[in-house]
């Protein structure tokens, strides 16, 4: 069954459903209520690409607990947990282990998803 038609970049960056986003491993799939910005689109789920997060010193949009850090291809893949959800993103700097970190979320990159 065809679920979405478009050029490859369009489908990868703006999948329409949770199934497509999972199949493409397009990023972090979270319930829309985790970040209220996604609720305005009327979606139950949202996709946050791995490049939508940035570690900041203080005063971030979200406070998260560091879970894991892996060095891959010249950058760090960072896994954190906030509001009961685990997300993964890339960072040029390595955060300190077992700490709370502050993140800014680029809300303009949120993609609403249909269940």
């Amino acid at each position: 069954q065809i679920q979405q038609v478009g050029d490859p970049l369009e489908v990868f960056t703006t999948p329409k459903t949770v199934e497509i986003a999972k199949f493409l491993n397009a990023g972090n799939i979270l319930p829309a209520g985790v970040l209220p910005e996604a609720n305005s689109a009327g979606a139950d789920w949202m996709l946050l690409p791995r490049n939508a997060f940035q570690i900041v010193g203080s005063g971030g949009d979200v406070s998260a607990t560091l879970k894991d850090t892996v060095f891959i291809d010249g950058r760090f893949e960072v896994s954190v947990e906030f509001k009961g959800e685990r997300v993964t993103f890339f960072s040029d700097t390595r955060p300190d282990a077992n700490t709370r970190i502050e993140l800014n979320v680029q809300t303009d990159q949120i993609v609403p998803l249909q269940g």
Side-chain angles (χ1 to χ4, degrees):
Q1 176 181 344
I2 298 173
Q3 293 192 13
Q4 184 174 347
V5 177
D7 68 71
L9 182 60
E10 173 191 352
V11 174
F12 183 78
T13 57
T14 56
K16 300 295 182 198
T17 67
V18 171
E19 291 80 19
I20 295 168
K22 283 181 181 178
F23 178 77
L24 296 173
N25 194 21
N28 300 286
I29 300 167
L30 303 171
V34 172
L35 291 174
E37 293 83 353
N39 288 336
S40 63
D44 293 329
W45 297 92
M46 64 179 168
L47 170 69
L48 279 164
R50 289 176 188 86
N51 62 351
F53 298 91
Q54 178 183 14
I55 298 173
V56 295
S58 62
D61 300 327
V62 179
S63 181
T65 303
L66 180 65
K67 294 296 184 181
D68 193 23
T69 304
V70 179
F71 189 73
I72 300 174
D73 292 330
R75 61 185 174 173
F76 295 95
E77 182 181 78
V78 180
S79 294
V80 299
E81 186 175 291
F82 70 93
K83 297 185 180 181
E85 300 292 334
R86 193 169 187 138
V87 299
T88 303
F89 60 93
F90 298 113
S91 175
D92 292 332
T93 59
R94 180 179 183 206
D96 293 330
N98 300 317
T99 60
R100 299 276 308 162
I101 58 175
E102 296 287 315
L103 301 173
N104 278 342
V105 181
Q106 296 176 6
T107 56
D108 61 330
Q109 293 193 32
I110 292 173
V111 177
L113 299 172
Q114 298 171 2

